[in-house]
Amino acid sequence: TVNHKIMQSIQYAKIIQSSLLPNLDVVKTFLPKSFFLWQPKDVVGGDMLYLEQFEEDFLVAILDCTGHGVPGAFMTMVAATNLRRITRDERCHQPAAILQRLNVLVKTSLQQDTEHARSDDGLDAAICLVKPQEKILIFAGAKLPLYYLHQDQIEMIKGDKQNLGYKR
């Protein structure tokens, strides 16, 4: 009975977590030649896709949060909430500035900026601001790279070696 109740809660958490993900049909309107595969290791997990539109430009972010399962899902909630705050409320759209701000907000949200912090969690991220009219893509990464196809070759731009949020 207890296991059944726990599994029901986790299944409902999956519904909540998947509601944070953008509609893939909408993503296809921005990135028609792309694909995204979201399969948590457990029922829920710590990976997330984020998409935000600003007039003609759009931002796409991939986040890999600490942990698998329920802890990872909690971290995606922290990251998603703060990412929306940065891009919508604070109107910050530059990928490097978003990563800097997200680093601070994850640390403060989890009180990892204090000596009495009980967790040491964070995330890796790749963020791209795409300006289709100008044919410009601006990338910033925290541990995650950007892969792209150029002249039938897969190329990579490395992200910073620093991940986000951890108290260390």
Side-chain angles (χ1 to χ4, degrees), residues 2 5 11 24 34-35 42 44 46 49 62 64-65 78 86 101 103 113 120 132 147 149 160 162:
V2 171
K5 286 182 180 182
Q11 288 296 333
L24 291 181
S34 65
F35 71 93
D42 297 319
V44 291
L49 169 66
I62 304 292
D64 182 4
C65 298
V78 170
I86 295 164
R101 186 75 177 117
N103 185 44
D113 59 337
D120 186 17
Y147 292 97
L149 188 64
D160 280 347
Q162 183 71 37

Coordinates of all heavy atoms in Angstrom, one line a residue, residues 2 5 11 24 34-35 42 44 46 49 62 64-65 78 86 101 103 113 120 132 147 149 160 162:
V2 N 1.9 1.3 0.8 CA 2.8 2.4 0.9 C 3.5 2.6 -0.4 O 3.6 3.7 -0.9 CB 3.8 2.3 2.1 CG1 4.9 3.3 2.0 CG2 3.1 2.3 3.4
K5 N 1.2 4.1 -3.0 CA 1.0 5.6 -2.8 C 2.2 6.4 -3.2 O 2.1 7.4 -3.8 CB 0.7 5.8 -1.3 CG -0.7 5.5 -0.9 CD -0.9 5.8 0.6 CE -2.3 5.4 1.0 NZ -2.6 5.8 2.4
Q11 N 4.4 9.3 -10.1 CA 3.7 9.4 -11.4 C 3.1 10.8 -11.6 O 3.2 11.3 -12.7 CB 2.6 8.3 -11.6 CG 3.2 6.9 -11.8 CD 4.0 6.7 -13.1 OE1 3.9 7.4 -14.1 NE2 5.0 5.8 -13.0
L24 N 6.6 20.3 -28.0 CA 7.6 20.0 -29.1 C 7.1 20.4 -30.5 O 7.9 20.7 -31.4 CB 7.9 18.5 -29.1 CG 8.8 18.0 -27.9 CD1 9.1 16.6 -28.0 CD2 10.0 18.9 -27.8
S34 N 15.5 19.9 -36.0 CA 16.0 19.4 -34.7 C 15.2 18.3 -34.1 O 14.1 18.0 -34.6 CB 16.1 20.6 -33.7 OG 14.8 21.0 -33.4
F35 N 15.8 17.6 -33.1 CA 15.0 16.6 -32.4 C 15.5 16.7 -30.9 O 16.6 17.1 -30.6 CB 15.2 15.2 -32.9 CG 16.5 14.6 -32.7 CD1 16.8 13.8 -31.6 CD2 17.6 14.9 -33.6 CE1 18.0 13.3 -31.4 CE2 18.8 14.3 -33.4 CZ 19.1 13.5 -32.3
D42 N 15.0 7.5 -14.3 CA 13.9 7.0 -13.5 C 12.6 7.6 -14.0 O 12.6 8.1 -15.1 CB 14.1 7.5 -12.0 CG 15.4 6.9 -11.4 OD1 15.6 5.7 -11.7 OD2 16.1 7.6 -10.7
V44 N 11.0 10.3 -13.1 CA 11.3 11.7 -13.2 C 12.8 11.9 -13.1 O 13.5 10.9 -12.8 CB 10.6 12.5 -12.1 CG1 9.1 12.6 -12.2 CG2 11.0 12.0 -10.7
G46 N 16.5 14.8 -13.8 CA 17.1 16.1 -13.7 C 17.4 16.8 -15.0 O 18.3 17.7 -15.0
L49 N 14.5 20.8 -21.0 CA 14.5 21.6 -22.2 C 13.7 22.9 -21.9 O 12.6 22.8 -21.3 CB 13.9 20.8 -23.4 CG 13.7 21.6 -24.6 CD1 15.0 22.1 -25.2 CD2 12.9 20.8 -25.6
I62 N 19.2 23.8 -22.6 CA 19.3 22.4 -22.1 C 19.9 22.5 -20.7 O 21.0 23.0 -20.6 CB 20.1 21.5 -23.1 CG1 19.6 21.6 -24.5 CG2 20.1 20.1 -22.6 CD1 18.2 21.0 -24.7
D64 N 21.0 20.1 -17.3 CA 21.3 18.8 -16.7 C 21.5 19.0 -15.2 O 22.6 19.4 -14.8 CB 22.5 18.1 -17.3 CG 22.7 16.7 -16.8 OD1 21.9 16.2 -16.0 OD2 23.7 16.1 -17.2
C65 N 20.5 18.8 -14.4 CA 20.5 19.1 -13.0 C 21.1 17.9 -12.2 O 21.0 16.8 -12.6 CB 19.1 19.4 -12.4 SG 18.4 20.9 -13.2
V78 N 13.6 24.0 -9.4 CA 14.4 25.2 -8.9 C 15.0 25.9 -10.2 O 14.9 27.1 -10.3 CB 15.6 24.8 -8.0 CG1 16.5 25.9 -7.7 CG2 15.0 24.2 -6.7
I86 N 14.5 35.0 -14.7 CA 15.6 35.7 -15.3 C 15.1 36.2 -16.7 O 15.3 37.4 -17.1 CB 16.8 34.8 -15.5 CG1 17.4 34.5 -14.1 CG2 17.9 35.5 -16.4 CD1 18.4 33.3 -14.1
R101 N 23.5 34.8 -13.7 CA 22.3 35.0 -12.8 C 21.8 33.7 -12.2 O 21.4 33.6 -11.1 CB 21.3 35.8 -13.5 CG 20.1 36.3 -12.7 CD 20.5 37.5 -11.8 NE 19.4 37.9 -11.1 CZ 19.2 37.9 -9.8 NH1 20.3 37.5 -9.0 NH2 18.1 38.2 -9.2
N103 N 23.3 31.0 -11.7 CA 24.3 30.5 -10.7 C 23.9 31.1 -9.3 O 23.8 30.4 -8.3 CB 25.7 30.8 -11.1 CG 26.7 30.2 -10.2 OD1 26.6 29.1 -9.8 ND2 27.7 31.0 -9.9
D113 N 24.7 29.5 -0.4 CA 25.6 30.7 -0.2 C 25.8 31.0 1.3 O 26.3 32.0 1.6 CB 25.0 31.9 -0.9 CG 23.6 32.3 -0.4 OD1 22.9 31.4 0.2 OD2 23.2 33.5 -0.5
D120 N 24.4 20.4 -1.6 CA 25.5 20.9 -2.5 C 25.1 20.4 -3.9 O 25.6 19.4 -4.3 CB 26.8 20.4 -2.1 CG 28.0 21.0 -2.9 OD1 27.7 22.1 -3.6 OD2 29.1 20.5 -2.9
P132 N 17.0 34.8 -35.8 CA 16.8 34.3 -37.2 C 16.9 35.4 -38.2 O 17.5 35.2 -39.3 CB 15.4 33.6 -37.2 CG 15.1 33.4 -35.8 CD 15.8 34.4 -35.0
Y147 N 26.9 21.4 -30.1 CA 27.2 20.7 -31.3 C 26.4 21.2 -32.4 O 25.3 21.5 -32.3 CB 26.9 19.2 -31.1 CG 27.7 18.5 -30.1 CD1 27.2 18.3 -28.8 CD2 29.0 18.0 -30.4 CE1 28.0 17.7 -27.8 CE2 29.7 17.3 -29.4 CZ 29.2 17.2 -28.2 OH 30.0 16.5 -27.2
L149 N 26.2 21.2 -37.1 CA 26.7 20.6 -38.3 C 27.2 21.7 -39.2 O 26.4 22.7 -39.5 CB 25.5 19.8 -38.9 CG 25.8 19.0 -40.2 CD1 26.7 17.9 -39.8 CD2 24.5 18.4 -40.7
D160 N 32.0 26.6 -20.6 CA 32.9 26.8 -19.5 C 33.1 25.5 -18.7 O 32.2 24.6 -18.7 CB 32.4 27.9 -18.5 CG 32.6 29.3 -19.0 OD1 33.4 29.5 -19.9 OD2 32.0 30.2 -18.4
Q162 N 33.0 25.4 -15.5 CA 32.4 25.6 -14.3 C 30.9 25.3 -14.4 O 30.2 25.8 -15.3 CB 32.5 27.1 -13.8 CG 32.0 27.4 -12.5 CD 32.8 26.8 -11.4 OE1 34.0 26.7 -11.4 NE2 32.1 26.4 -10.3

